[in-house]
Amino acid sequence: MRHATIATLALTAAALTTTIASAAGFVGNYAIPGSGRSVQAMNQSTPLAHILALPIKVVMASGAVEAPVFVAQNSITAVAQGNGYVIVATMQTATQTMFGLRHLALTPESIVRIHFGGAQQPLVFDRTSPNPGSAGSLAGQDVAAISVQGLWDARAVWSNPIKVGTAPVRNDAYNMLSIYFSAGVNNGDSFYFTVDTDSAQ
């Protein structure tokens, strides 16, 4: 993603519609509507191969950007190893995935943003509302924090909506999911969440 697009996300996030979650340290889901990626179809299957093909960009407080790659650990879990941190993805059901960031405190570099997707990958993200939404997406699930450890707040930003076939954009399925942290994640901090994941063709 170009730096200009990242800056635009940061500037517009505060003005977007939100669904507030109850978990401490997580301040909600924010969507950027508009035209986005066109696909032929969507379905409810998220095989591990789709997680392995999911692009990741990790933005550090210094402005440095890393792109760790998911590697399979078993039939349902993949891990991406970065410079002093790991990102874990575990398939919980055919359509729900748990993602987790854990800073290993091996480097002073702190993390301020993570971007999942944003390319032509098969894995896409499906929000709770509207329901029904895009054809084939069925019921979705907003990001729900399940474990937060750190002195910061996290927010989920959904961008690049999915357009299925000739139907108009429904603003329920998105090609990229970003996690923004209000301060740097470091020194043993962690953030784990679940989200609905679908497949686009």
Side-chain angles (χ1 to χ4, degrees), residues 11-12 16 26-27 48 51 55 57 71 84 92 100 115 127 130 139 145-146 150 153 158 173 183 190:
L11 290 172
T12 59
L16 302 173
F26 181 66
V27 295
L48 185 65
I51 292 174
K57 287 189 178 178
V71 176
Q92 296 195 315
H115 303 283
R127 293 203 66 182
I146 57 176
D153 290 326
W158 305 64
S190 62

Short mmCIF file of all heavy atoms in Angstrom, two decimals, residues 11-12 16 26-27 48 51 55 57 71 84 92 100 115 127 130 139 145-146 150 153 158 173 183 190:
data_model
loop_
_atom_site.label_atom_id
_atom_site.label_comp_id
_atom_site.label_asym_id
_atom_site.label_seq_id
_atom_site.Cartn_x
_atom_site.Cartn_y
_atom_site.Cartn_z
N LEU A 11 -6.07 9.63 8.74
CA LEU A 11 -6.75 10.91 8.88
C LEU A 11 -8.27 10.77 8.90
O LEU A 11 -8.97 11.55 9.54
CB LEU A 11 -6.34 11.85 7.73
CG LEU A 11 -4.90 12.36 7.78
CD1 LEU A 11 -4.58 13.11 6.50
CD2 LEU A 11 -4.70 13.25 8.99
N THR A 12 -8.79 9.76 8.18
CA THR A 12 -10.24 9.63 8.06
C THR A 12 -10.87 8.71 9.09
O THR A 12 -12.08 8.71 9.26
CB THR A 12 -10.62 9.13 6.66
OG1 THR A 12 -10.00 7.87 6.44
CG2 THR A 12 -10.21 10.13 5.59
N LEU A 16 -15.35 8.02 10.70
CA LEU A 16 -16.08 6.91 10.10
C LEU A 16 -17.10 6.33 11.06
O LEU A 16 -16.99 6.47 12.27
CB LEU A 16 -15.08 5.82 9.69
CG LEU A 16 -14.01 6.30 8.72
CD1 LEU A 16 -12.98 5.20 8.50
CD2 LEU A 16 -14.62 6.71 7.40
N PHE A 26 -9.90 -2.10 23.14
CA PHE A 26 -10.36 -2.14 21.76
C PHE A 26 -11.49 -1.15 21.60
O PHE A 26 -12.48 -1.21 22.31
CB PHE A 26 -10.83 -3.55 21.39
CG PHE A 26 -11.29 -3.66 19.96
CD1 PHE A 26 -10.40 -3.48 18.91
CD2 PHE A 26 -12.62 -3.92 19.66
CE1 PHE A 26 -10.82 -3.56 17.59
CE2 PHE A 26 -13.04 -4.01 18.35
CZ PHE A 26 -12.14 -3.83 17.32
N VAL A 27 -11.34 -0.20 20.65
CA VAL A 27 -12.30 0.90 20.56
C VAL A 27 -13.24 0.79 19.38
O VAL A 27 -13.99 1.74 19.11
CB VAL A 27 -11.56 2.27 20.54
CG1 VAL A 27 -10.85 2.50 21.85
CG2 VAL A 27 -10.58 2.36 19.37
N LEU A 48 -6.82 -23.14 4.75
CA LEU A 48 -5.54 -22.65 5.24
C LEU A 48 -4.70 -22.04 4.11
O LEU A 48 -3.98 -21.07 4.32
CB LEU A 48 -4.75 -23.76 5.93
CG LEU A 48 -3.44 -23.33 6.59
CD1 LEU A 48 -3.69 -22.38 7.75
CD2 LEU A 48 -2.64 -24.54 7.06
N ILE A 51 -5.17 -18.40 3.90
CA ILE A 51 -4.46 -17.66 4.94
C ILE A 51 -2.98 -17.52 4.56
O ILE A 51 -2.38 -16.46 4.72
CB ILE A 51 -4.62 -18.35 6.30
CG1 ILE A 51 -6.07 -18.25 6.77
CG2 ILE A 51 -3.67 -17.73 7.35
CD1 ILE A 51 -6.38 -19.00 8.04
N PRO A 55 -1.52 -11.28 2.21
CA PRO A 55 -0.41 -10.34 2.42
C PRO A 55 -0.53 -9.63 3.78
O PRO A 55 -1.63 -9.36 4.25
CB PRO A 55 -0.57 -9.32 1.28
CG PRO A 55 -1.55 -9.92 0.33
CD PRO A 55 -2.40 -10.85 1.12
N LYS A 57 1.31 -6.30 6.01
CA LYS A 57 2.26 -5.21 6.13
C LYS A 57 2.22 -4.71 7.57
O LYS A 57 1.16 -4.40 8.10
CB LYS A 57 1.94 -4.07 5.17
CG LYS A 57 2.25 -4.40 3.73
CD LYS A 57 2.14 -3.19 2.83
CE LYS A 57 2.51 -3.56 1.40
NZ LYS A 57 2.36 -2.40 0.48
N VAL A 71 3.41 -18.96 7.39
CA VAL A 71 3.91 -20.31 7.14
C VAL A 71 3.07 -21.28 7.96
O VAL A 71 2.81 -21.04 9.15
CB VAL A 71 5.40 -20.43 7.54
CG1 VAL A 71 5.88 -21.86 7.36
CG2 VAL A 71 6.25 -19.46 6.72
N GLY A 84 11.20 -9.39 15.86
CA GLY A 84 10.84 -9.23 17.27
C GLY A 84 9.38 -9.41 17.57
O GLY A 84 8.93 -9.07 18.66
N GLN A 92 -10.81 -21.09 13.15
CA GLN A 92 -11.67 -21.60 14.21
C GLN A 92 -12.88 -22.34 13.65
O GLN A 92 -13.33 -23.32 14.24
CB GLN A 92 -12.10 -20.45 15.11
CG GLN A 92 -10.92 -19.81 15.84
CD GLN A 92 -11.35 -18.95 16.98
OE1 GLN A 92 -12.28 -18.15 16.86
NE2 GLN A 92 -10.68 -19.08 18.11
N GLY A 100 -3.63 -13.10 15.88
CA GLY A 100 -2.99 -12.61 17.10
C GLY A 100 -1.62 -12.03 16.82
O GLY A 100 -0.84 -12.62 16.05
N HIS A 115 -1.62 -4.21 8.42
CA HIS A 115 -2.56 -4.29 7.32
C HIS A 115 -2.62 -5.73 6.81
O HIS A 115 -1.59 -6.30 6.45
CB HIS A 115 -2.14 -3.37 6.17
CG HIS A 115 -1.98 -1.93 6.59
ND1 HIS A 115 -3.06 -1.10 6.79
CD2 HIS A 115 -0.88 -1.19 6.84
CE1 HIS A 115 -2.63 0.10 7.15
NE2 HIS A 115 -1.30 0.06 7.20
N ARG A 127 -18.06 -8.06 7.37
CA ARG A 127 -18.61 -7.40 8.57
C ARG A 127 -19.96 -7.99 8.99
O ARG A 127 -20.64 -8.67 8.23
CB ARG A 127 -18.78 -5.91 8.32
CG ARG A 127 -17.49 -5.15 8.14
CD ARG A 127 -17.67 -3.68 8.45
NE ARG A 127 -17.98 -3.50 9.87
CZ ARG A 127 -18.23 -2.32 10.43
NH1 ARG A 127 -18.24 -1.23 9.68
NH2 ARG A 127 -18.48 -2.23 11.71
N PRO A 130 -24.05 -4.69 6.68
CA PRO A 130 -25.44 -5.15 6.57
C PRO A 130 -25.54 -6.65 6.35
O PRO A 130 -24.63 -7.26 5.82
CB PRO A 130 -25.95 -4.39 5.34
CG PRO A 130 -24.74 -4.17 4.50
CD PRO A 130 -23.62 -3.95 5.48
N ALA A 139 -23.90 -14.31 6.78
CA ALA A 139 -23.69 -13.52 8.00
C ALA A 139 -22.20 -13.33 8.25
O ALA A 139 -21.41 -14.26 8.09
CB ALA A 139 -24.33 -14.22 9.20
N ALA A 145 -12.32 -8.32 19.92
CA ALA A 145 -11.09 -8.55 20.69
C ALA A 145 -11.33 -9.66 21.70
O ALA A 145 -12.35 -9.69 22.38
CB ALA A 145 -10.67 -7.28 21.40
N ILE A 146 -10.38 -10.59 21.81
CA ILE A 146 -10.50 -11.67 22.80
C ILE A 146 -9.37 -11.61 23.82
O ILE A 146 -9.46 -12.22 24.87
CB ILE A 146 -10.56 -13.05 22.13
CG1 ILE A 146 -9.33 -13.30 21.25
CG2 ILE A 146 -11.83 -13.20 21.31
CD1 ILE A 146 -9.29 -14.69 20.65
N GLY A 150 -1.50 -4.46 26.86
CA GLY A 150 -0.67 -3.33 26.49
C GLY A 150 -1.30 -2.01 26.89
O GLY A 150 -2.50 -1.93 27.17
N ASP A 153 -4.82 1.60 22.86
CA ASP A 153 -6.10 1.17 22.31
C ASP A 153 -5.88 0.70 20.88
O ASP A 153 -5.02 1.22 20.18
CB ASP A 153 -7.12 2.32 22.31
CG ASP A 153 -7.58 2.68 23.71
OD1 ASP A 153 -7.67 1.78 24.56
OD2 ASP A 153 -7.84 3.87 23.95
N TRP A 158 -11.72 -1.16 8.20
CA TRP A 158 -12.06 -1.96 7.04
C TRP A 158 -12.02 -1.07 5.80
O TRP A 158 -12.67 -0.02 5.78
CB TRP A 158 -13.46 -2.54 7.19
CG TRP A 158 -13.70 -3.34 8.45
CD1 TRP A 158 -13.67 -2.88 9.74
CD2 TRP A 158 -14.03 -4.71 8.53
NE1 TRP A 158 -13.95 -3.89 10.61
CE2 TRP A 158 -14.19 -5.03 9.90
CE3 TRP A 158 -14.23 -5.71 7.58
CZ2 TRP A 158 -14.53 -6.31 10.34
CZ3 TRP A 158 -14.57 -6.98 8.01
CH2 TRP A 158 -14.72 -7.28 9.37
N ALA A 173 -18.42 -6.58 2.87
CA ALA A 173 -17.20 -7.37 2.67
C ALA A 173 -16.09 -6.45 2.18
O ALA A 173 -16.32 -5.59 1.33
CB ALA A 173 -17.45 -8.48 1.66
N ALA A 183 -0.77 3.72 20.45
CA ALA A 183 0.64 3.86 20.85
C ALA A 183 1.35 2.58 20.41
O ALA A 183 0.71 1.59 20.06
CB ALA A 183 0.78 4.09 22.35
N SER A 190 0.41 -7.84 23.46
CA SER A 190 -0.25 -8.75 22.52
C SER A 190 -1.67 -8.29 22.26
O SER A 190 -2.28 -7.58 23.07
CB SER A 190 -0.26 -10.19 23.05
OG SER A 190 -0.98 -10.26 24.27
#
